[in-house]
Amino acid sequence: MLLKVQGIVIREAVSGEKDKVITVFTKEYGKISVFAGGAKGKKSRLSSCSQLFSYCDFVIFKNKEKYSLNDGQVIESFFDLTKDLESLSLGQYFLQLCDYSLPERETCPEALSLLLNSLHLLCKGEKSKTLIKSVFELRLMCLIGFTPDVILCSKCEEEIKEGEKAYFLITEGKINCEKCGINTFLMTPAVITCMRFIIYGDIKKIFSFKTSEESIQLLNYITENYCIFKLEKKMDTLDFYKSILC
Ligand SMILES: [Zn+2]
């Protein structure tokens, strides 16, 4: 059976001398593993559409539960990422997070648009990369079922009001008010506002807020560690990204 799908290559692996096995995050079928015969060859017509970051219209042959790539037209290659190592490494981290955390063959159109929007913004280079990273990490965690509760104190169940500080329990994804706060991570009111916006905001608008550099750094600490705790894994692409910042 021939399938026409739209998706982005989030992982590529060489198979034998000439072939590749790619993981494509598609709109229609979620994350699927696809054999791309001969795609390693530079002259292959599958060469450009089987590369990391290639967002394409794919024609895929499905036989039982196996997929193989027939053809592909590149819609967007996110080529501009290659102009800046920081953007490129962050982009690779985003792909790896999707590859690791998303279930196979389950559609998640919101995660796909989150990924595409994040990569577009990295290419544009106008927004803080650290902010893009935090938004991506936190909203992705929500989409895969790890939405933190940043409204009520987990102990006294009082609402944390605007302008109040609170403690974030990174391992649990909960917050405590200042009275109940134990010695965990203190969040400023601005960071709480940002987190609420990222968690509950319309996915098309979640990058459209501004905050101070100090808040971005706090937010980044929270979202990065929250991801590591929830996925129980630190991605090697994250280590690489951090190594080039030093
Ligand atoms: Zn409390």
Coordinates of all heavy atoms in Angstrom, one line a residue, residues 121 127 131 135 197 202 204-210:
L121 N 11.9 29.2 14.3 CA 12.4 30.4 15.1 C 13.9 30.3 15.3 O 14.5 31.3 15.3 CB 11.7 30.4 16.5 CG 10.2 30.8 16.4 CD1 9.5 30.6 17.8 CD2 10.1 32.3 16.0
K127 N 14.8 35.4 18.1 CA 14.4 35.2 19.5 C 15.5 34.5 20.3 O 16.3 33.8 19.7 CB 13.1 34.2 19.5 CG 11.9 35.0 19.9 CD 10.8 34.0 20.3 CE 9.8 34.7 21.2 NZ 9.6 36.1 21.3
L131 N 15.2 30.8 25.3 CA 13.8 30.8 25.5 C 13.1 29.8 24.6 O 12.2 29.1 25.1 CB 13.3 32.2 25.2 CG 11.8 32.5 25.5 CD1 11.5 32.4 27.0 CD2 11.3 33.8 24.9
V135 N 10.6 26.8 26.1 CA 9.2 26.6 25.6 C 9.1 25.2 25.0 O 8.1 24.5 25.3 CB 8.9 27.7 24.6 CG1 7.5 27.4 24.0 CG2 8.9 29.1 25.2
F197 N 2.0 30.4 31.0 CA 1.7 30.8 29.6 C 2.1 29.6 28.6 O 1.4 29.3 27.7 CB 2.5 32.1 29.2 CG 2.2 32.6 27.9 CD1 1.0 33.4 27.7 CD2 3.0 32.4 26.8 CE1 0.7 33.9 26.4 CE2 2.7 32.9 25.5 CZ 1.6 33.7 25.4
D202 N -2.2 28.9 23.8 CA -2.5 28.4 22.5 C -1.1 28.1 21.9 O -0.2 28.9 21.9 CB -3.2 29.5 21.7 CG -3.5 29.1 20.3 OD1 -2.8 28.1 19.8 OD2 -4.4 29.7 19.7
K204 N 0.0 28.0 19.0 CA 0.5 28.9 18.0 C 1.1 30.1 18.5 O 1.8 30.9 17.8 CB -0.7 29.2 17.0 CG -1.2 28.0 16.2 CD -2.2 28.5 15.2 CE -2.9 27.3 14.6 NZ -4.4 27.2 15.1
K205 N 0.8 30.4 19.8 CA 1.2 31.7 20.3 C 2.2 31.6 21.4 O 2.6 32.6 22.0 CB 0.0 32.5 20.8 CG -1.0 32.9 19.7 CD -2.1 33.7 20.3 CE -3.2 33.9 19.2 NZ -4.5 34.1 19.8
I206 N 2.6 30.4 21.8 CA 3.4 30.2 23.0 C 4.8 30.8 23.0 O 5.4 30.9 24.0 CB 3.5 28.8 23.5 CG1 3.9 27.8 22.4 CG2 2.2 28.3 24.2 CD1 4.3 26.4 23.0
F207 N 5.2 31.2 21.8 CA 6.6 31.8 21.8 C 6.4 33.4 21.9 O 7.4 34.1 21.9 CB 7.3 31.5 20.5 CG 7.7 30.0 20.5 CD1 6.9 29.1 19.7 CD2 8.8 29.6 21.1 CE1 7.3 27.8 19.7 CE2 9.2 28.2 21.1 CZ 8.4 27.3 20.3
S208 N 5.2 33.8 21.9 CA 5.0 35.3 21.7 C 5.0 36.0 23.1 O 4.0 36.6 23.4 CB 3.8 35.6 20.9 OG 2.7 35.1 21.6
F209 N 6.0 35.8 23.9 CA 6.0 36.6 25.1 C 7.5 37.0 25.4 O 8.4 36.4 24.8 CB 5.5 35.8 26.3 CG 6.3 34.6 26.7 CD1 7.3 34.7 27.7 CD2 6.2 33.4 26.1 CE1 8.1 33.6 28.1 CE2 6.9 32.3 26.5 CZ 7.9 32.4 27.5
K210 N 7.6 38.1 26.2 CA 8.9 38.6 26.5 C 9.1 38.5 28.0 O 8.2 38.7 28.7 CB 9.0 40.0 26.0 CG 9.2 40.1 24.5 CD 9.7 41.5 24.1 CE 9.9 41.5 22.5 NZ 9.0 42.5 21.9

